[in-house]
Amino acid sequence: MEKKRLRRSWSRTNKALSSRSRSLAVGLILFGLGLVSLFIGHVASDLHWSQFRRRIRPKVFHNKRLDIWKSNYSDFYYGCSTRGANFRYAVPENRSNGYLLIATSGGLNQQRVGISDAVVVAWILNATLVIPEMDHHSFWKDDSDFLNIFDVDWFISYLSEDVRVVRRIPDKVMRSMEKLPWTMRPPRKSVPDYYLYQVLPILRRRHALQLTKFDYRLTNRLDDELQKLRCRANFHALRFTSSIENMGQKLVQKMRNMSSRYVAVHLRFEPDMLAFSGCYYGGGDKERAELGEIRKRWATLPDLSEEGERSRGKCPLTPHEVGLMLKALGFQNDTYVYVASGEIYGGEKTLQPLKDLFPNYYTKEMLADANELEPFLPFSSRLAALDFIVCDESDVFVTNNNGNMAKILAGRRRYMGHKRTIRPNAKKLSMLFKARSQMKLDWETFSTKVKYAQSDFMGEPDEMRPGRGDFHEFPYSCICKKDVVSSS
């Protein structure tokens, strides 16, 4: 009897195990099929993209078909940030969830990022946005307010359908508030849910809320309608004051009077930037001591390998390397070059090799009369705005770094018509510069390899891939493709 029970029990156990085994096997098969499907979908997506890419732009590395002054394929794309039909309109000030105050951080272009993102956050919170407060305490020590740099009336008017913007909280509202506005600092790259669940309840309770150090406090990944609002704020609503715009256009005209086209180079080679990067530029013990002392300002910076940073492409190009890159790409010695820069580490000695390669070298200080620049001189943000305009209007924009101005201008130039924008492929170029300095490459070989290395860093429309990189640099949701008719 006992043996029969044991046999029945053993039989049931075997069946259960067999059933579980079959379930596990089926599960593994389905999982495997899912992976295969995902892989095939990914390959198909890349294949579709590559086929589209080949259809509009045959891969060109170093032959004469590449126009270094203008993309031949920008006509396939256009900037598109019009609000959708179902995108919520701004509510009246007295029906909003409260007043949102923003304290920006950093230099002009870092603050520009914060302002653009603040507009989106105000929409998410259904809040009334108060004209943002500019940073007066950063490294640049500029006491300019928003109205000294940007056209306030235009900013308010342009955004009126999306977000209600006011110059300040009305006195009547301030007197009725029991406490001063609450202050908080959101984490970097916060998602909309953070603002809805962590910020909105405080805003409703206090009626006014200030977000501090507001730079890159909103995620890169938003739905397309919010990304388009970001673009409307950045590329349209933020317009410089007439005094800045007029002076900037004067500088542009002076460049145009000398040449029908020009290259603008944003040259970040200030001592503090080099110290922060942890890179070494061959200046011996003097350079290491000077930059090491500056580096002490940032207590949390890790010890970095000089060679490691360079091999990873983390080091800004020197002025000489920028010149070599431009020459290798095919820009001639008589090219007119406008340089936007701050204090260059090493001064004239550092700049001379670039000037030797391109003698038609100009800065705003060289183009403008002293009395024309005088009103702007005490204000680093206003001077940066002049450089921004001249770089934006250039035929070719080149950068030696991947800082805020480089990113903002690259994105703006994509949006405004894919004007040629050259970012250095620093990782590959560093090896080429090293080989060149060691006499391992003749000029023709060096030039060919530079063109190859830079082939996907020339500002061509198809360099963008949705979801990759910083949105302000690659505003993919705001750039539309025209219908392309296959020739086959």
Side-chain angles (χ1 to χ4, degrees):
M1 196 71 178
E2 184 65 26
K3 288 182 180 180
K4 286 182 180 179
R5 274 201 307 270
L6 285 172
R7 279 198 296 269
R8 282 197 298 270
S9 176
W10 179 252
S11 176
R12 283 196 300 269
T13 301
N14 277 339
K15 286 179 181 178
L17 287 171
S18 177
S19 176
R20 286 175 188 171
S21 298
R22 284 196 299 273
S23 298
L24 181 61
V26 170
L28 287 171
I29 291 169
L30 290 174
F31 178 72
L33 288 172
L35 286 177
V36 170
S37 175
L38 184 65
F39 174 75
I40 291 171
H42 180 73
V43 170
S45 174
D46 279 357
L47 181 62
H48 172 77
W49 177 262
S50 64
Q51 286 171 344
F52 174 77
R53 178 176 176 143
R54 284 196 301 273
R55 207 161 68 218
I56 68 166
R57 180 169 77 97
K59 193 72 171 175
V60 177
F61 293 112
H62 52 265
N63 65 32
K64 293 181 180 179
R65 283 189 292 169
L66 177 64
D67 186 341
I68 55 176
W69 286 95
K70 183 181 182 297
S71 169
N72 294 322
Y73 306 94
S74 59
D75 290 342
F76 290 100
Y77 297 81
Y78 61 98
C80 53
S81 62
T82 306
R83 57 178 291 124
N86 298 320
F87 193 62
R88 191 189 70 223
Y89 281 89
V91 297
E93 185 179 342
N94 61 357
R95 284 173 45 204
S96 73
N97 286 322
Y99 293 91
L100 180 66
L101 299 98
I102 296 292
T104 60
S105 176
L108 174 65
N109 293 287
Q110 190 172 334
Q111 293 182 86
R112 191 181 186 112
V113 170
I115 294 165
S116 304
D117 288 353
V119 170
V120 179
V121 170
W123 188 94
I124 291 169
L125 297 173
N126 211 0
T128 297
L129 178 65
V130 180
I131 288 292
E133 175 188 322
M134 306 301 277
D135 186 352
H136 298 160
H137 308 291
S138 66
F139 172 81
W140 291 269
K141 299 290 187 294
D142 186 335
D143 61 1
S144 298
D145 291 321
F146 189 100
L147 59 82
N148 302 127
I149 302 171
F150 300 111
D151 185 331
V152 176
D153 291 333
W154 173 260
F155 184 76
I156 293 172
S157 172
Y158 190 88
L159 293 171
S160 60
E161 289 189 342
D162 299 309
V163 172
R164 193 69 60 205
V165 184
V166 296
R167 290 173 179 264
R168 59 185 172 274
I169 300 178
D171 293 338
K172 181 180 177 182
V173 175
M174 286 295 289
R175 287 195 297 270
S176 70
M177 290 168 55
E178 296 178 1
K179 298 178 181 179
L180 291 173
W182 186 263
T183 298
M184 63 186 297
R185 184 185 302 175
R188 289 178 72 81
K189 298 187 177 178
S190 296
V191 297
D193 278 355
Y194 171 84
Y195 289 99
L196 289 172
Y197 296 114
Q198 301 297 323
V199 178
L200 183 57
I202 300 173
L203 177 64
R204 282 175 167 162
R205 189 166 63 248
R206 299 294 289 264
H207 308 297
L209 172 69
Q210 183 182 52
L211 302 179
T212 62
K213 289 281 185 183
F214 203 80
D215 61 335
Y216 297 98
R217 304 288 164 177
L218 183 63
T219 180
N220 261 322
R221 293 173 179 262
L222 296 169
D223 68 52
D224 283 349
E225 283 298 325
L226 290 180
Q227 298 287 40
K228 288 182 178 184
L229 176 56
R230 229 176 194 165
C231 293
R232 292 197 292 278
N234 189 358
F235 303 138
H236 296 284
L238 284 173
R239 190 164 74 177
F240 292 123
T241 62
S242 58
S243 61
I244 291 175
E245 188 65 37
N246 291 339
M247 186 65 227
Q249 291 301 331
K250 267 188 183 179
L251 298 175
V252 172
Q253 193 55 51
K254 289 186 178 185
M255 290 297 296
R256 295 283 182 213
N257 288 342
M258 293 184 287
S259 177
S260 60
R261 57 190 186 182
Y262 69 92
V263 173
V265 178
H266 180 226
L267 200 57
R268 287 297 310 273
F269 210 71
E270 299 91 341
D272 64 302
M273 181 175 187
L274 301 188
F276 188 86
S277 72
C279 299
Y280 174 65
Y281 289 92
D285 291 340
K286 181 175 181 290
E287 178 187 321
R288 286 194 170 96
E290 288 174 347
L291 298 186
E293 191 61 32
I294 296 172
R295 193 170 170 80
K296 291 177 183 177
R297 294 178 192 168
W298 300 283
T300 58
L301 288 183
D303 290 330
L304 299 172
S305 160
E306 296 164 352
E307 274 305 309
E309 290 303 286
R310 187 167 296 282
S311 65
R312 285 194 290 274
K314 300 298 184 181
C315 296
L317 269 60
T318 68
H320 187 204
E321 289 170 342
V322 171
L324 288 173
M325 176 183 73
L326 290 176
K327 182 182 177 184
L329 288 172
F331 290 97
Q332 299 300 308
N333 179 258
D334 60 355
T335 299
Y336 278 73
V337 176
Y338 177 89
V339 174
S341 69
E343 174 195 359
I344 298 295
Y345 181 68
E348 195 61 29
K349 182 180 177 182
T350 303
L351 284 171
Q352 195 57 50
L354 174 59
K355 292 182 177 182
D356 291 341
L357 287 167
F358 295 96
N360 296 318
Y361 171 108
Y362 293 91
T363 64
K364 57 183 174 295
E365 290 81 7
M366 296 168 67
L367 292 172
D369 298 332
N371 62 326
E372 288 180 312
L373 272 187
E374 189 176 356
F376 304 92
L377 289 177
F379 309 102
S380 61
S381 290
R382 298 181 215 183
L383 289 172
L386 297 179
D387 280 335
F388 187 98
I389 292 169
V390 185
C391 290
D392 187 33
E393 293 285 342
S394 67
D395 299 272
V396 178
F397 174 61
V398 182
T399 177
N400 75 324
N401 67 94
N402 200 31
N404 291 299
M405 181 168 167
K407 288 179 181 178
I408 290 288
L409 265 172
R412 179 179 175 84
R413 289 170 67 87
R414 290 182 188 282
Y415 180 82
M416 296 295 182
H418 284 287
K419 291 186 285 187
R420 177 69 77 208
T421 301
I422 301 174
R423 300 171 298 129
N425 183 351
K427 187 174 181 179
K428 289 186 178 179
L429 289 178
S430 66
M431 295 185 290
L432 296 178
F433 291 137
K434 185 175 181 179
R436 172 74 180 160
S437 68
Q438 296 171 349
M439 307 299 288
K440 293 180 179 178
L441 295 176
D442 60 69
W443 178 256
E444 186 177 345
T445 304
F446 174 77
S447 177
T448 299
K449 288 181 177 293
V450 167
K451 288 171 182 172
Y452 190 92
Q454 284 297 124
S455 60
D456 283 327
F457 292 77
M458 298 292 287
E460 289 291 332
D462 63 355
E463 287 173 19
M464 288 196 304
R465 296 293 298 272
R468 291 186 184 178
D470 190 300
F471 182 79
H472 295 283
E473 184 178 6
F474 298 101
Y476 48 86
S477 298
C478 304
I479 296 177
C480 297
K481 295 194 289 281
K482 295 178 182 177
D483 291 334
V484 181
V485 179
S486 175
S487 58
S488 58

